[in-house]
Amino acid sequence: MKDNQQPQPIRLEDYTPPPYRVDSVDLRFELGEDATRVQARLAMVRSAPEPVPLRLDGRELELVSLQIDGQVLEHSAYSVDDEGLTIASVPEHFVVEIETRLRPQDNTSLEGLYKSSGNFCTQCEAQGFRKITYFPDRPDIMARYATTIVADPQRYPVMLSNGNPVEEGHTDDGRRWVRWEDPFPKPCYLFALVAGDLRYIEDTHVTASGRRVALRIYVEPENIDKCDHAMESLKKAMAWDERVFGLEYDLDIYMIVAVNDFNMGAMENKGLNIFNSKYVLARPDTATDDDYDGILGVIGHEYFHNWTGNRVTCRDWFQLSLKEGLTVFRDQEFSADMTSRAVKRIQDVRMLRARQFPEDDGPMAHPVRPDAYVEINNFYTATVYEKGAEVVRMYQTLLGREGFRRGMDLYFQRHDGQAVTTDDFYAAMADANDADLGEFKRWYSQAGTPRVQVESDYDRDRQVYTLRMRQSCPPTPGQHDKQPLLIPVAVGLLDQQGRPLPLQLEGEGQPVGSGTRVLRLGGAEEEYRFVNVPEAPLPSLLRGFSAPVRLEYPYSDEELGFLMAHDSDLFNRWEAGQQLSTRVALALLRDLQAGEPLALSAALVEAYRRLLGNGVGDKALVAEALVLPSEEYLAEQVSPVDPAAIHRVREFLRAGLASALRQTFWECYRANRETGPYSTDPAAMGRRRLKNICLGYLMELDDAEARRACVEELDSAHSMTDVIAALNVLANCECEEREPALEGFYRKWRHDPLVVDKWFALQARSKRADTLARVKVLMRHEAFEIRNPNRVRALVGAFSHGNPARFHDPSGAGYEFLVDMVLRLDGMNPMVAARLLGALSRWRRFEPGRSAKMRQALATVRAHQGLSKDCYEIADKSLAEDA
Ligand code: TRP
Ligand code: ZN
């Protein structure tokens, strides 16, 4: 750390309202190649009862001048430190004028004002505005902004900021200026500015109440033919929010700008979203079906923030899930409505289990509303986003869709234009429905993934079926004693033909619900007695994954097979298959570790045969069911973890299934090859996915015909999905087709950065033994650029977060490589460095050899001179004794 001082955490319990308000902000940017001049004029009012010094946040700024009410401040009237400036005394109402000088061209952190591909852009969430000017940089300060941009019109013909353009002109020295005004008060983290040589496509949306909104997507000139899907997605999102939530857009223009250098996915700046180009640009020959889905989801996400985040924002950063959890829930529902609800749910749950469950079970575990942080950028986590979305989903499950909508309406009615808390959201939901939500609120404050154990009992004489449920939650750092939560458990009961049984609880006059009902598990232990149950039922539990918990029920293999074939809940069909294959894989792992020979489970082969033979079913769902649980997911189920053994077992299963079902895979592959024109509708995507999964299995065999099929797919002129699927499996194999395929692909696509990212990533994820050596060679490739986060994620991130077998090489070489990368990156872009470092956090779970090496790697990072707060917090918490 700087000066070897340990950074101190910021705590929720220390929150106090701001002593001064900002009513209006007037900004003037003079953008230059050498220096950029920023003049800020803030109209401020004291809100504290007594005068106190004025504190403004600011980092890495050159202060040129400072005035209050037109008077230049004497040096003795204020003091400046690394984190900001303090003015000892100010009037009750006053105007502060500040001039700062910046060098955006040298800003590699990609926070504040920076340059990407020669264009200026900003990223202010969470605390980037303080790198532009001195300001009370906290989300509960909401002000009106006007922004003037002055720049060379040749280099920067496009100059954008929030709100509406109101005026423009030229300066005496031939520069052009544009003035923007945003009528909606906003926190400074939603400020944005863009200037550059950009083109746009334009469309319009007419709102339900008849207002015309201009929609523009700005990109670099060579990408102008890759914006259509993003525009379609935006129009769908606008219409969906009107239809489902009655929410309309509120300005006359909505702009999206795609940039190549970006720390995250995208940013919801008011009226001027800035996107990682990965979530805008798509053409069938350059983007995969997953890319298309990603764009739909992220465009929706940022658009939905206009109400959930911008109109109603967060009081402080501990409330981050107030906007992120809610907005993820909204984008998930949007994508479910636009594509396939069951497939979307399966993918979301897979991702929750792969990323959030491990986080909740490791040293970085924190509640959906954290109570302390060192660096807020470390809290844009799967817990805040994805578990937060599950918490919102549970309100809907408990209150019903209409009840949820009533809660949302009341939330906007009460809080439009305000900066609020998750308690306010809870109150709106409860009040609008006059509902008793018991201990539901604890979902916000308690970390850890709850465990729900279920037992059943059937009394044939009385025709009573009893479900007994017990909940518990493992301790997490700083939270040892856990309390019961209100957990909605959606259940159905199947008869022996797989038909739904009536659901009548003791004391009720008649059955309730049509096949599914939501049980409220409130206490540590509860019992539910269903009456008039004519036969012993098979329970279908936690339908649709109605709560983010680990549910345990002692199903037999046959019962899981039955649910796979008959459950009316499509999510639970998939889930039954996952449970069956997890069970098979874990049994093999035990055999392997006991030195027993491995044998393929006939039950699994039969289950797969049925899936593949089921030609009529939804192809996307069949495809999901054919994917074995990931190595990361399997690692979650055992302790200690030996990644090499897990990898071997999963490979054994894949190869075994491929050879047992070779003909069936070939038939399915051939039956689903593209015929007719290329399309990105959900059915066509499902077909491609199924076909490519079959090809993946076939490539587990040493099969020249499968390799030939891959090489043919590489020539597909119209589908990057098919090309990448083929290249992916070729990159895994020790075959002569591999090198020419990789080389040819690079030569063809070297000019397209997003495609080159795919090329890096699939090599970094290769299961070949020489992958680390290969990654190191690629670090010196002409196309590798350490300052570009997408490229770093594609090469280093794909290796450390997407290739457990190779990253966890028993020699520790993967860890050493990661430490090198983290330390190189930390000085340039601490946010990206800290994310990579997270791959070492859960060192305690691994077998002793790897565990010791991971721990050593973390200690090396923590001891590094001048380490960022970001990396320090991850390393220190990972190593902490109580974790
Ligand atoms: N608020 C953004 C979103 O979820 C994400 C975001 C937060 C972000 N901090 C960022 C994006 C920093 C880029 C850089 O939509
Ligand atoms: Zn968001």
Side-chain angles (χ1 to χ4, degrees):
M1 276 316 302
K2 272 189 200 117
D3 313 329
N4 276 329
Q5 272 178 1
Q6 288 180 9
Q8 292 306 303
I10 319 279
R11 292 178 198 285
L12 170 58
E13 66 193 21
D14 294 339
Y15 175 84
T16 52
Y20 294 92
R21 264 193 351 247
V22 182
D23 283 342
S24 66
V25 180
D26 203 317
L27 298 168
R28 180 184 167 89
F29 289 80
E30 293 185 36
L31 303 173
E33 297 316 291
D34 183 36
T36 288
R37 203 171 150 209
V38 183
Q39 290 163 284
R41 187 177 183 282
L42 318 176
M44 300 191 66
V45 185
R46 193 179 81 218
S47 37
E50 300 298 326
V52 287
L54 174 68
R55 174 73 185 170
L56 301 177
D57 302 300
R59 281 186 54 201
E60 295 159 35
L61 292 171
E62 183 189 336
L63 179 61
V64 178
S65 79
L66 179 59
Q67 302 181 15
I68 296 248
D69 291 332
Q71 300 292 305
V72 175
L73 280 197
E74 304 264 330
H75 281 294
S76 61
Y78 65 95
S79 65
V80 180
D81 56 67
D82 280 353
E83 300 281 318
L85 71 76
T86 306
I87 305 174
S89 135
V90 289
E92 214 175 311
H93 294 253
F94 55 97
V95 171
V96 199
E97 283 166 278
I98 305 158
E99 183 174 335
T100 49
R101 201 175 1 232
L102 317 177
R103 292 182 53 81
Q105 64 276 27
D106 300 338
N107 180 354
T108 56
S109 71
L110 315 187
E111 292 179 305
L113 180 65
Y114 66 95
K115 282 191 113 176
S116 175
S117 312
N119 301 319
F120 287 96
C121 64
T122 54
Q123 172 56 42
C124 295
E125 187 177 6
Q127 299 181 328
F129 195 72
R130 64 183 65 183
K131 295 175 89 176
I132 293 174
T133 187
Y134 288 97
F135 196 80
D137 188 353
R138 45 188 289 172
D140 56 355
I141 301 269
M142 296 177 84
R144 283 200 176 71
Y145 285 66
T147 304
T148 303
I149 309 170
V150 189
D152 170 1
Q154 248 69 55
R155 286 179 201 258
Y156 309 104
V158 171
M159 298 192 273
L160 312 173
S161 190
N162 317 90
N164 305 306
V166 292
E167 234 188 307
E168 64 168 274
H170 286 269
T171 59
D172 296 340
D173 59 2
R175 289 177 301 168
R176 185 167 151 258
W177 60 267
V178 181
R179 183 173 169 83
W180 291 78
E181 284 176 9
D182 181 358
F184 292 95
K186 64 170 175 283
C188 66
Y189 82 83
L190 292 173
F191 170 79
L193 173 152
V194 168
D197 182 12
L198 301 166
R199 303 291 129 87
Y200 64 87
I201 66 162
E202 186 165 42
D203 209 323
T204 50
H205 172 80
V206 180
T207 69
S209 66
R211 287 191 321 101
R212 290 181 85 77
V213 181
L215 312 176
R216 289 186 177 179
I217 299 180
Y218 288 84
V219 296
E220 291 172 72
E222 70 265 29
N223 292 323
I224 196 71
D225 62 344
K226 300 197 191 99
C227 303
D228 297 345
H229 177 64
M231 183 63 89
E232 284 311 306
S233 301
L234 176 60
K235 292 172 72 175
K236 288 178 182 165
M238 297 179 87
W240 184 88
D241 216 11
E242 291 174 2
R243 181 159 57 76
V244 177
F245 287 106
L247 297 171
E248 279 189 15
Y249 186 61
D250 50 13
L251 288 164
D252 300 333
I253 181 163
Y254 190 85
M255 298 172 284
I256 289 174
V257 180
V259 304
N260 294 324
D261 302 275
F262 205 69
N263 281 345
M264 307 257 267
M267 181 63 213
E268 69 265 23
N269 317 302
K270 183 80 188 186
L272 178 55
N273 290 180
I274 299 181
F275 271 62
N276 186 327
S277 53
K278 175 176 163 57
Y279 292 107
V280 175
L281 306 178
R283 219 173 50 196
D285 61 328
T286 66
T288 63
D289 292 344
D290 288 344
D291 294 329
Y292 272 76
D293 283 345
I295 290 167
L296 179 76
V298 178
I299 293 262
H301 182 94
E302 307 311 329
Y303 175 72
F304 301 141
H305 266 315
N306 191 53
W307 278 95
T308 52
N310 301 2
R311 291 285 288 252
V312 183
T313 196
C314 301
R315 185 192 74 174
D316 55 73
W317 292 117
F318 299 103
Q319 318 298 327
L320 182 57
S321 197
L322 173 81
K323 75 176 177 82
E324 295 304 347
L326 177 53
T327 305
V328 171
F329 168 75
R330 277 153 54 70
D331 83 55
Q332 289 176 347
E333 286 295 289
F334 167 61
S335 291
D337 283 346
M338 297 300 123
T339 60
S340 152
R341 181 160 284 272
V343 171
K344 176 66 178 152
R345 189 65 185 139
I346 288 165
Q347 290 170 347
D348 290 341
V349 172
R350 191 186 270 133
M351 135 96 148
L352 185 82
R353 284 174 168 162
R355 296 201 27 228
Q356 199 279 324
F357 280 23
E359 185 169 275
D360 233 353
D361 188 40
M364 295 298 296
H366 55 277
V368 166
R369 185 194 60 208
D371 32 40
Y373 60 77
V374 169
E375 170 52 63
I376 186 57
N377 283 335
N378 285 333
F379 285 79
Y380 286 76
T381 59
T383 298
V384 166
Y385 275 64
E386 273 74 33
K387 186 177 182 179
E390 294 301 321
V391 171
V392 174
R393 184 175 298 279
M394 286 190 286
Y395 285 109
Q396 179 171 279
T397 304
L398 289 164
L399 302 170
R401 275 177 190 270
E402 285 171 22
F404 183 73
R405 172 67 195 269
R406 277 194 294 279
M408 290 290 279
D409 289 350
L410 184 60
Y411 174 64
F412 295 121
Q413 201 182 312
R414 283 181 178 171
H415 301 300
D416 188 11
Q418 299 175 5
V420 303
T421 65
T422 55
D423 287 341
D424 294 314
F425 187 78
Y426 171 91
M429 283 290 154
D431 294 354
N433 291 282
D434 226 342
D436 173 11
L437 292 175
E439 299 305 343
F440 187 81
K441 243 191 196 180
R442 284 190 186 134
W443 281 105
Y444 289 104
S445 56
Q446 187 167 288
T449 305
R451 184 167 159 213
V452 176
Q453 289 161 291
V454 185
E455 284 167 15
S456 66
D457 176 64
Y458 181 59
D459 182 337
R460 194 172 299 278
D461 297 338
R462 295 210 179 79
Q463 303 216 329
V464 171
Y465 180 71
T466 307
L467 286 175
R468 220 165 289 113
M469 303 195 189
R470 253 186 311 143
Q471 63 165 305
S472 60
C473 185
T476 51
Q479 266 191 358
H480 294 281
D481 300 314
K482 303 287 183 176
Q483 305 296 317
L485 307 162
L486 174 56
I487 301 176
V489 184
V491 304
L493 301 178
L494 277 64
D495 74 8
Q496 272 159 29
Q497 272 71 50
R499 292 172 308 211
L501 285 162
L503 299 167
Q504 181 180 2
L505 285 171
E506 197 169 55
E508 292 173 346
Q510 54 183 30
V512 175
S514 52
T516 299
R517 63 184 290 175
V518 178
L519 304 177
R520 293 167 154 237
L521 174 57
E525 200 167 336
E526 307 237 13
E527 208 175 83
Y528 307 88
R529 290 163 61 84
F530 293 91
V531 296
N532 297 324
V533 182
E535 57 176 281
L538 181 60
S540 167
L541 302 163
L542 205 71
R543 283 186 155 173
F545 203 69
S546 60
V549 302
R550 295 178 211 265
L551 184 130
E552 292 162 26
Y553 179 84
Y555 288 115
S556 68
D557 289 0
E558 292 67 36
E559 288 173 328
L560 290 174
F562 189 83
L563 290 171
M564 277 179 84
H566 298 290
D567 200 329
S568 62
D569 186 80
L570 298 177
F571 175 84
N572 268 10
R573 263 192 210 194
W574 171 81
E575 174 67 6
Q578 292 293 296
Q579 282 191 35
L580 186 63
S581 41
T582 301
R583 192 177 284 180
V584 167
L586 296 181
L588 285 174
L589 193 58
R590 283 190 296 272
D591 291 345
L592 181 71
Q593 282 163 342
E596 309 274 337
L598 302 187
L600 187 62
S601 142
L604 193 65
V605 174
E606 280 325 300
Y608 264 58
R609 195 192 301 283
R610 271 200 310 273
L611 282 169
L612 282 161
N614 188 354
V616 281
D618 178 333
K619 300 203 167 162
L621 276 173
V622 175
E624 295 300 338
L626 291 175
V627 179
L628 289 172
S630 66
E631 290 173 28
E632 291 91 335
Y633 181 78
L634 294 173
E636 286 303 298
Q637 320 303 317
V638 294
S639 176
V641 176
D642 175 352
I646 291 174
H647 180 68
R648 255 194 75 189
V649 160
R650 195 170 183 277
E651 288 300 298
F652 172 83
L653 275 176
R654 281 179 56 81
L657 288 164
S659 95
L661 298 168
R662 183 182 202 135
Q663 275 322 312
T664 322
F665 276 121
W666 270 119
E667 281 158 26
C668 186
Y669 171 73
R670 294 201 183 98
N672 289 290
R673 291 202 69 163
E674 205 86 41
T675 50
Y678 176 83
S679 150
T680 54
D681 71 34
M685 286 194 186
R687 197 165 59 238
R688 276 194 290 276
R689 188 155 162 78
L690 180 55
K691 177 203 70 159
N692 289 330
I693 283 172
C694 291
L695 186 57
Y697 273 102
L698 290 165
M699 283 291 285
E700 298 290 339
L701 308 168
D702 186 8
D703 183 334
E705 200 183 344
R707 291 199 295 276
R708 218 162 25 246
C710 285
V711 172
E712 276 171 35
E713 297 274 3
L714 291 178
D715 289 331
S716 161
H718 56 221
S719 170
M720 183 54 87
T721 304
D722 291 342
V723 173
I724 283 293
L727 196 61
N728 215 355
V729 284
L730 282 174
N732 277 331
C733 86
E734 317 266 353
C735 57
E736 60 186 22
E737 289 86 348
R738 181 183 197 258
E739 291 307 317
L742 285 168
E743 257 175 60
F745 183 90
Y746 178 71
R747 248 182 288 112
K748 180 165 179 195
W749 293 107
R750 59 205 286 175
H751 60 276
D752 188 322
L754 295 173
V755 182
V756 172
D757 286 339
K758 298 181 200 304
W759 181 80
F760 275 109
L762 61 84
Q763 295 179 77
R765 273 195 289 262
S766 168
K767 65 190 186 197
R768 279 170 53 126
D770 64 352
T771 294
L772 176 56
R774 182 86 179 203
V775 167
K776 287 181 176 167
V777 170
L778 287 171
M779 296 283 305
R780 296 192 299 270
H781 191 275
E782 58 169 12
F784 186 73
E785 172 50 77
I786 198 162
R787 275 177 302 250
N788 177 259
N790 284 358
R791 197 58 42 100
V792 169
R793 284 185 284 255
L795 187 56
V796 187
F799 178 72
S800 59
H801 288 68
N803 195 345
R806 296 301 154 224
F807 175 60
H808 293 285
D809 189 274
S811 69
Y815 311 145
E816 284 165 28
F817 168 71
L818 187 71
V819 168
D820 274 3
M821 287 302 106
V822 165
L823 294 180
R824 266 179 73 185
L825 269 164
D826 192 54
M828 315 183 221
N829 188 330
M831 201 168 154
V832 169
R835 301 246 153 189
L836 290 178
L837 183 56
L840 295 169
S841 273
R842 298 179 75 227
W843 58 277
R844 282 188 178 83
R845 288 194 39 77
F846 290 84
E847 53 75 29
R850 290 175 175 88
S851 181
K853 294 186 172 87
M854 292 172 82
R855 178 190 192 167
Q856 183 52 49
L858 284 161
T860 305
V861 172
R862 186 174 59 179
H864 190 76
Q865 276 291 313
L867 190 69
S868 68
K869 269 203 230 181
D870 311 55
C871 283
Y872 178 83
E873 180 174 35
I874 306 282
D876 190 57
K877 286 185 174 167
S878 300
L879 291 166
E881 289 301 330
D882 88 319

